[in-house]
Amino acid sequence: MRGGLKSVHSRWSNHFAYVLAATGAAVGLGNIWKFPYIMGEHGGGAFVLVYLLCIAVIGIPVMMAEVSIGKCGRQSPAYAVKKLAEQSDASWGWRSIGWMGLVTGYLILSFYAVIAGWALAYVFYGISGEFINDRESISSLFSNLNRSPLPLLGWSSVIILTTVIVVGNGLKHGLERAVVYIMPAMFLLLVIMAIYAARNGDFSQTLSFMFSPNFSSLTVNGVVVALGHAFFTLSLASGVMMMYGAYLPEETSITQTSLWIAAADTLVAIIAGLAIYPIVFAQGMAPGQGPGLIFVTLPLSFAQMPFGGFFGTLFFIMLVFAAFTSAIALIEASVAYLIERATFKRWPAAAISGFGIWILSLGTVMSFTGFEVTNFKFAVFGEQIEASFFQMIDYLTANLLMPIGGVLIALFVGWAVKPSLLKQEFQRDMLIYPLWRFLLRYLSPVAILLVFLTLIGVINV
Ligand code: PHE
């Protein structure tokens, strides 16, 4: 019966195509933009260690759970979960996990596309020689970009349109073809950047910053951030891994591919740190700069370095590549849903889904460009809160939907799904299976729950 269900979807050509696509989904702004700056904010080496631990004992097991759901269900997330629940005589209610994933991915893309739009704008700044200007004009690039909605809207629209075109072309001709070219190019650019940084920047300070753990600088908040980021960087609880798992060739090992994907994602994050910090340190700048690290600090540093304009441009091309392979993953579940349920063809499905993203992205564009209409004031438990549309979507996805989704996925696969269904997937990895199940049943739900309660302020640290 399993895998025998007639699916309207195709499959990846081979394991390699899947690993590239899923690594492309995982590697993104999170690795190159977010990881270096949160590492900087939380004290370097000790944070890196905790992050690695979170990836290994929570991130990888949850990823394997999601891919298993997709592979057994062979449909878009909600229906894949529903099928597995039916086969396990579990409640239909579990399918809400799939819906949550789909909605999370959709919401994430609405702001992800705008940040990718920033990166795209910087490629053009680089090409037009802005990075070799004086300090004043470089510092004002970012504020100018966010001064009025139109330019930012233009850049993010290009990202969304390109995403729609690639996904509209189908699994093999669109997504697969894109990742086969983009991922190796991205990796090559990253290595070039790291070599450039090592030769021209302060590499030894970077090594001691990143790899000599100083546990006194690690806070409980740092641990929470590390686990939250492990989820974000592996693209968990966002419908992506379930959807990509649904396209997995029958004989592909979920364990091995998940290990590869997590390893590649981590490697990229570490190399990104090695590519950015030597340049930041060389100019005597501080690592805890926050989100502006790569859009403000980095261009300023490049301007002082040999061939900085050229390498600065390469850096942002790499960033756009990395973001783009995540964007196509983020939209895919909604497109697959429209194809399978509303019997749309792929092109209209991609266009409709893309249009919805575009509309939502306007909220983030407005938030970045300071429009009053996107600032909301409300009271939670008597506390006055003021947040922009972007901040609300970011909070909703990162602090609520992803952790709740993560706990539910772990509970569903760990407790509700019949072990016999899962064991078939792990026939060749029988040694791993008990360890995986143990982590999924006990460690993952408890750890994610603790982090969730801390994030929303129920546990005070
Ligand atoms: N993993 C991506 C990154 O690190 C972000 C992402 C989250 C992509 C969820 C898809 C789904 O940038």
Side-chain angles (χ1 to χ4, degrees):
M1 166 75 200
R2 202 179 48 89
L5 175 117
K6 257 224 182 125
S7 169
V8 291
H9 303 300
S10 10
R11 307 253 164 106
W12 303 110
S13 305
N14 48 47
H15 315 182
F16 185 63
Y18 163 70
V19 171
L20 269 189
T23 305
V27 169
L29 295 165
N31 305 61
I32 301 171
W33 170 64
K34 202 165 176 195
F35 179 70
Y37 89 74
I38 54 176
M39 172 173 72
E41 282 176 342
H42 295 282
F47 177 83
V48 175
L49 274 185
V50 176
Y51 165 79
L52 291 179
L53 196 71
C54 292
I55 295 269
V57 300
I58 300 166
I60 295 176
V62 173
M63 179 189 284
M64 288 164 62
E66 288 201 45
V67 179
S68 306
I69 294 176
K71 193 176 174 203
C72 294
R74 297 286 185 204
Q75 297 169 78
S76 62
Y79 292 91
V81 175
K82 179 173 159 230
K83 181 175 167 210
L84 213 53
E86 274 169 4
Q87 290 177 341
S88 307
D89 301 318
S91 155
W92 269 37
W94 285 109
R95 69 169 184 243
S96 51
I97 306 177
W99 283 120
M100 272 175 66
L102 194 132
V103 170
T104 310
Y106 206 72
L107 291 177
I108 291 179
L109 184 53
S110 78
F111 69 79
Y112 204 82
V114 183
I115 300 177
W118 276 346
L120 188 58
Y122 271 62
V123 170
F124 283 84
Y125 292 161
I127 292 173
S128 53
E130 299 279 2
F131 296 160
I132 45 176
N133 265 337
D134 55 291
R135 282 186 82 85
E136 300 280 280
S137 19
I138 296 178
S139 316
S140 57
L141 284 177
F142 196 57
S143 46
N144 284 346
L145 179 59
N146 294 315
R147 179 153 299 158
S148 62
L150 269 188
L152 197 50
L153 182 65
W155 293 115
S156 50
S157 302
V158 174
I159 298 279
I160 297 172
L161 190 67
T162 324
T163 306
V164 166
I165 293 174
V166 167
V167 173
N169 262 309
L171 191 68
K172 292 201 169 116
H173 297 286
L175 293 112
E176 212 174 288
R177 208 184 270 171
V179 296
V180 163
Y181 291 109
I182 295 180
M183 287 308 287
M186 197 236 58
F187 199 72
L188 185 71
L189 285 176
L190 184 65
V191 173
I192 293 175
M193 289 308 305
I195 295 173
Y196 170 78
R199 292 185 65 130
N200 296 289
D202 193 339
F203 203 59
S204 60
Q205 193 182 346
T206 302
L207 289 182
S208 68
F209 173 65
M210 283 178 63
F211 299 114
S212 55
N214 170 9
F215 282 94
S216 62
S217 59
L218 185 72
T219 58
V220 179
N221 187 33
V223 176
V224 172
V225 172
L227 182 56
H229 188 63
F231 255 70
F232 186 78
T233 192
L234 293 181
S235 304
L236 302 178
S238 56
V240 166
M241 289 300 163
M242 285 187 205
M243 197 64 242
Y244 275 16
Y247 304 147
L248 217 55
E250 203 58 50
E251 66 291 349
T252 302
S253 154
I254 294 177
T255 313
Q256 284 163 24
T257 48
S258 300
L259 289 174
W260 273 112
I261 295 160
D265 181 74
T266 308
L267 190 69
V268 170
I270 302 279
I271 301 180
L274 292 176
I276 291 172
Y277 278 109
I279 297 176
V280 172
F281 287 141
Q283 305 307 324
M285 305 210 190
Q289 303 267 340
L293 180 69
I294 63 171
F295 289 107
V296 182
T297 316
L298 207 59
L300 277 174
S301 306
F302 272 121
Q304 314 292 319
M305 317 267 298
F307 306 108
F310 176 71
F311 283 98
T313 313
L314 286 191
F315 177 86
F316 286 102
I317 294 178
M318 171 186 80
L319 191 62
V320 170
F321 282 174
F324 187 70
T325 50
S326 295
I328 56 179
L330 281 162
I331 204 173
E332 178 59 21
S334 57
V335 175
Y337 168 76
L338 289 177
I339 295 173
E340 100 208 346
R341 298 293 134 180
T343 55
F344 278 114
K345 293 251 181 315
R346 206 165 234 280
W347 273 110
I352 291 171
S353 181
F355 183 67
I357 296 286
W358 185 79
I359 297 280
L360 272 175
S361 77
L362 299 179
T364 295
V365 168
M366 301 291 213
S367 308
F368 288 162
T369 49
F371 264 64
E372 281 289 312
V373 277
T374 52
N375 277 340
F376 300 91
K377 296 185 184 76
F378 46 91
V380 178
F381 299 125
E383 205 179 316
Q384 285 297 324
I385 295 189
E386 198 180 327
S388 70
F389 184 84
F390 162 70
Q391 284 168 329
M392 291 209 303
I393 298 227
D394 186 27
Y395 188 90
L396 181 68
T397 50
N399 292 5
L400 301 177
L401 290 171
M402 277 189 155
I404 297 175
V407 172
L408 292 177
I409 289 163
L411 292 177
F412 174 62
V413 177
W415 296 92
V417 172
K418 270 197 190 132
S420 58
L421 293 172
L422 296 169
K423 273 194 186 139
Q424 301 179 33
E425 290 303 332
F426 290 85
Q427 267 158 9
R428 276 180 295 147
D429 309 302
M430 270 307 171
L431 284 177
I432 299 284
Y433 179 78
L435 174 67
W436 172 62
R437 245 177 100 74
F438 171 79
L439 293 173
L440 207 59
R441 286 165 78 103
Y442 303 101
L443 193 73
S444 311
V446 174
I448 307 168
L449 206 65
L450 282 178
V451 164
F452 169 62
L453 295 177
T454 315
L455 279 175
I456 61 170
V458 174
I459 298 181
N460 253 326
V461 288

